[in-house]
Amino acid sequence: MAGSYSEKQGIADAPAARPESTTRTEVDKAEVAVPIPEQAEDIDAQLAHLPEHEREILQRQIEFKEPAISYFTLFRYATPRDLLVMAVGGIGAVGSGAMMPVMTIIFGDLTGSFGKLGSGESDTGAFMDEVEDYTIKFIYLFVGLFFGSYISNISFQHTGERLTQRIREEYLSAILRQNQAFFDKLGAGEITVKITSDTNQVQNAVSEKVGITMMALSMFLAAFVIGFVKAWKFTFILISTVVAMTLVMGIGSTLFLRFYAKSLSANGVGGTVAEEVLSSVRNAVAFGTEEKLARNFDVHLAIAEVWGMKTKVSLGLTIGAIMSVNFLNFGLAFWQGGEFILRGEEDVSSILTTLLAIMLGAFALAGVAPNVNFFQSGTAAAKMIFATIDRVSPLDPTAEEGQKLDNVNGNIELRNVKFIYPSRPAALILPNMDLIIPAGKTTALVGSSGSGKSTVVGLVERFYDPVGGDVFLDGHNLKDLNLRWLRQQISLVQQEPVLFSCTIFENVCHGLIGTPQETALEEVRRKLVINACQMSNADGFINQLPEGYDTNVGQRGFLLSGGQKQRIAIARAIVSDPKILLLDEATSALDTRSEGIVQQALDRAAESRTTIVIAHRLSTIRNAHNIVVMSKGIIVEQGTHGELMAKRGEYFSLVRAQQITASDKTYDTGSTEAEEDTITPEEEGDHKPVIQEDALRIFRTTTKQSVASIALKDKPTHEEETYSAWTLFMMINKLNAPEKWMLLLGGSFAVIMGGGQPVNGILFAKSVVALSNPDRKALKDDVSFWALMFLMLGLVQFVATSISSTCLGVASEKLVRRVRDVSFRHLLRQEMAYFDDESHSTGSLTTFLSTEAIDIAGLSGVTAATIMSAIVTLITAIVVSVTLFWKIGLVCTACIPILVAAGFFRLFLLRRYEQQKQKTYERSAAYASEATAAIKTVASLTRDRDVWDHYHDQLAAQTKKGLRSNLQTGILYAFSESIVILIVALGFWYGAKLISEGSLNFEKFFIAFITVLFGAQSAGQVFAFASDISKAQRAATQVKRLLDRKPEIDTWSQEGEALLSMEGDIEFRDVHFRYPTRPHVPVLRGLNFTVKPGQYVALVGPSGCGKSTTIGLLERFYDSLAGQVLVDGKDITKLRIQDYRKHLALVSQEPTLYQGTIRENVLLGLGGFEDVPEEDIINACKAANIHDFIMSLPEGYNTDVGNKGGMLSGGQKQRVAIARALIRNPRILLLDEATSALDSESEKVVQDALDVAAKGRTTVAVAHRLSTIQKADMIYVFESGRIVESGTHQELLHLKGRYSELVMLQALEEGA
């Protein structure tokens, strides 16, 4: 995970920016830095102060160039097979597109037949024979158009999915091969957005809309070919339309791309913020910071909205101009056609055929406009994706270059190493380090947080390159060695262990990657895995799980405790028997007993290999062959434990700070002198030590079932809701309610837009009649009049289309922002069990926020305007045709329901497919997000190929399913596209029959027929958006389910008793608990204990025994299945949850900070309120021993902490987290391994501060380091979810029971 190393990310290790206060400790002096503000975008400016060669090394690691890409770049990964399929699809699209203009030739010839009948040149029988002949030709056209459309649709749908699959895979591959500096400022959320939402935009740009556009362009070109054949001069004049449209689209697309790229960028940053919050949702809920964090998220949504609105305005004006040019073209065509007829250069038939052809061509070109939106969006979205794909990583683990040694001894040497982190070029981490790490020996690195210990590990793994000096392995410069090979010789266990969402067996098997055993039979690998787990003391708890080694650990291993995760991570590291072992706080999350056993295992594992150990718990490194003490990147002293203790220097001070005195002496706990006497075991009272012999028995009822099992049976099960289209429409309407006037205005102008085509039909028919007028003067006057009417229609349509598209587009951008904002707030409202569900992983929820809002908004803006106007066109056309001549109107209209039915059925199939596709993409996106969030672990394990293979398999399976769906829906699409020709054939045949009978004249037939033709085309146009409608319905269903979901523990609820004050009395009364995602695994089995107001109570015991669960129940992250948790004698489930949590503060084992300043992070302790006196902030930071360090920074409290606090070391992050808890001034302070990330010196100071802070308030502390809780008023020893011992430190030592064993294991004194 980016930011896993505590020191690596520390704002540390450079000379102080200002004089230190006299009270400042040596450890804090090591943390001073002069960082460059993270916002500085100019790389050259950040690196300007460095020598040229150092500047080049750093620049190479962080350089990122944006390539200039075109639309055709999206097809970069098309294979010869894809190109062949697209060529076939293109032929189908071009062929089917050309058939509509061919229809105009038949149309023109038919018109000639009508003219002959009217002039008496032809009799009724011959006329009807000609009409029937032309009708058969129409049917041939229908068959050709059907198959052309079908082939085109399935070809481009399938290749679109294949291309997008490859782009997704190439992007993930590119991400996995990038160097670590690339990730220092890039959040996992941004990667998730790129691999889901942005690639969806690319898919829209390369799928069926390509075929639709080719069909339209083919129609346009065929129309002009026919025009040139029939009347070339006339057609040349009409080419001016193409020039005008090209100019309009060129200017419009330039503006669109510029604005859209900025919108995407803001959304990407917003995605990172969301991922940051959702990955640490317990922290957000505990401090009641949901509102503040939601506002932080909304800041980025607001920026994206502004650019999005500019995008929609530019698009609306572009489409308005295109529609206007289309109608102006008709005016020009009729006016100029009249001139040609008057001069005798063309006849009416040629002009009419050309006009019809040009009309269809122009209509088709206008239909291209909405698709241009998708092409531009896809190109803009692909820009950053291809920039990442094309980036050459300076430390590429996939590269084949570099030497692979035949034999590795393990001698490591750092020679004159100078190191600066590329993301913080002002902070000098290692000034000039020389260090030899001999082969087969254990070298320990100790020192304060931020002293550069983890940096050494990062250099050995070659996560970074030093700016000066070199690192050698067996005399070979690491730069000359193959990077993948190098990392396969090394195993790393990090301070914050990262497991992947798969089984325990699979997680440990990741350690075998690159070894001969990687491809061994499963039984061979299983034997190796079990041996490794036995060595790491994990086998015992694994075998207690219902599914044993096949238990899925959940996202990032959340279903396991910290200690359990750490033991599996250690097993993963040692399973491959590596040459070099790197342990960065490898046992920090273990309880004392496990630590002792695991340390013995690690000592055995280290015997024959080179081992580098970083430790704050000095008990873990006393047997090291060489202990290196570091400060500010400089080696202060080194030697064995005995040698350094004899020197009585820095190391001696660190050891003394961690010692636990196991004498009979009692400790001052703030009690009166009278209470300080030793309490004998016989005495009654709260401090009497207790051993509970029956602690491990599970309490069962007379039914032989545990209390928890009975409680689980009574819990209701939840089924997913389904909603009608009307319900979803009303939800969207409600979310868009603030824009109701904008929607009303846009809808009103969409109606005017829709009326444009029927009016166009009437004007067209009147103009045709005018051209046929034998009176030359009347012809000129009438044609001029109708040409002016077309001018008026063009101007009206420009205004209507621009306003409609702009209003609905702006409303859609506001809807996108509101859906994301409301969804994010509702996600933060959910109880913790919701986030424990594997389907609600951080990656899938970030994807949900990114894609669902866009899919819902896909029905608004230009799409909504087009659909609304098409519906209006259809209705108006039917009304006009039926009014003029009801027989022809009804016959043509009767065909439209068939077209509509085909469209609806296609929509149904698409929706079902979209739902299935969405689930697959959510899973694959969550998988990719998990891998990229843990990129350091992936890189260390050389899992890049393995991750890519799994991701590829998921996408390939989806593409295969997609082909089957496309084959089904393509038939309905082709039918809805081609049925228009059958309607034309039927209309002509029936119209001819009526004209031959004398019951209908030519003018009325023409008006009625043309308007219905436009209406049928419009209905078909609606279903061209079938996939968008399907996506919107699916997305709206997902959002509706979230909005309707009422969590079992509702942070919004105002129910329950108000709690204005709290004493701090805590009681657990027969509490039984199992995690909702693991109902078969008992965690607490009848837990009973009490905490008096003001007491400092410690919970100790092995990993997985229920200590952190107890903290979670106190915070009401979960409710117990049976029993009660009481505070001040009140059941906490009966209290108003917001009031209750205001009196609590939590400091977790893994500190969580958010992007923003130190001040903002501390203020989150009060829910993010800004109106807090500066003195309160300073006092909280002083109490947490972080104030002096903050003041040493140039920006002070306004220093940005980076993504997830990545610019601070682990210890610095933890102290800011403690300050955030203390500013809350809680009545109950919950410390879950609050000092686990601190070095000995800092731990001692912070522990003293916590001891002081604990006075006057109830404190419950979970601790593995027993030195931190020896002054506790009461210590409860947990085992298997119950209390087995309780008493003070001294009392429990006298018992010589489990606690005494733990203490003796942790003793540090010589000879202990």
Side-chain angles (χ1 to χ4, degrees), residues 910-1109:
L910 272 175
R911 185 170 67 246
R912 192 173 66 180
Y913 167 63
E914 282 292 332
Q915 288 171 344
Q916 181 264 326
K917 183 171 79 171
Q918 182 65 19
K919 286 181 181 176
T920 301
Y921 284 151
E922 274 184 2
R923 285 196 299 271
S924 61
Y927 181 80
S929 175
E930 181 185 50
T932 51
I935 192 65
K936 193 158 285 182
T937 303
V938 170
S940 174
L941 293 169
T942 61
R943 265 204 75 201
D944 45 291
R945 289 177 187 170
D946 176 54
V947 168
W948 187 91
D949 286 342
H950 279 80
Y951 186 68
H952 166 77
D953 291 344
Q954 292 181 23
L955 293 186
Q958 174 53 41
T959 303
K960 195 173 180 181
K961 290 176 185 173
L963 178 59
R964 287 198 296 270
S965 174
N966 294 336
L967 291 171
Q968 293 172 347
T969 58
I971 294 172
L972 296 164
Y973 168 76
F975 182 75
S976 61
E977 279 290 304
S978 53
I979 194 176
V980 174
I981 291 183
L982 288 183
I983 295 173
V984 170
L986 177 63
F988 257 118
W989 176 83
Y990 188 60
K993 188 172 182 296
L994 292 174
I995 290 172
S996 66
E997 293 171 355
S999 57
L1000 178 65
N1001 66 35
F1002 180 68
E1003 183 179 345
K1004 284 187 176 181
F1005 163 71
F1006 216 83
I1007 294 173
F1009 176 70
I1010 290 293
T1011 51
V1012 172
L1013 179 61
F1014 282 151
Q1017 279 192 320
S1018 295
Q1021 202 174 14
V1022 169
F1023 293 108
F1025 294 101
S1027 61
D1028 300 310
I1029 296 169
S1030 174
K1031 285 179 185 176
Q1033 190 167 358
R1034 180 202 50 73
T1037 300
Q1038 295 296 326
V1039 172
K1040 176 73 173 163
R1041 281 178 186 155
L1042 175 63
L1043 301 190
D1044 285 354
R1045 188 181 190 278
K1046 189 174 181 186
E1048 293 178 14
I1049 302 171
D1050 189 358
T1051 55
W1052 291 7
S1053 174
Q1054 293 300 312
E1055 296 174 4
E1057 182 185 339
L1059 192 65
L1060 300 177
S1061 62
M1062 181 187 286
E1063 291 296 318
D1065 182 89
I1066 300 170
E1067 181 183 358
F1068 273 61
R1069 189 180 294 172
D1070 194 29
V1071 172
H1072 292 256
F1073 179 75
R1074 300 180 183 193
Y1075 284 100
T1077 50
R1078 293 164 62 193
H1080 304 299
V1081 181
V1083 180
L1084 299 181
R1085 316 181 186 198
L1087 182 65
N1088 291 285
F1089 72 88
T1090 58
V1091 183
K1092 298 299 181 188
Q1095 269 194 327
Y1096 189 117
V1097 169
L1099 312 180
V1100 301
S1103 299
C1105 66
K1107 305 184 300 297
S1108 293
T1109 300

Side-chain angles (χ1 to χ4, degrees), residues 1050 1053-1059 1116 1131-1140:
D1050 189 358
S1053 174
Q1054 293 300 312
E1055 296 174 4
E1057 182 185 339
L1059 192 65
R1116 262 204 90 192
D1131 188 333
I1132 63 173
T1133 61
K1134 310 293 187 209
L1135 301 174
R1136 190 180 299 164
I1137 192 164
Q1138 303 100 314
D1139 291 353
Y1140 170 69

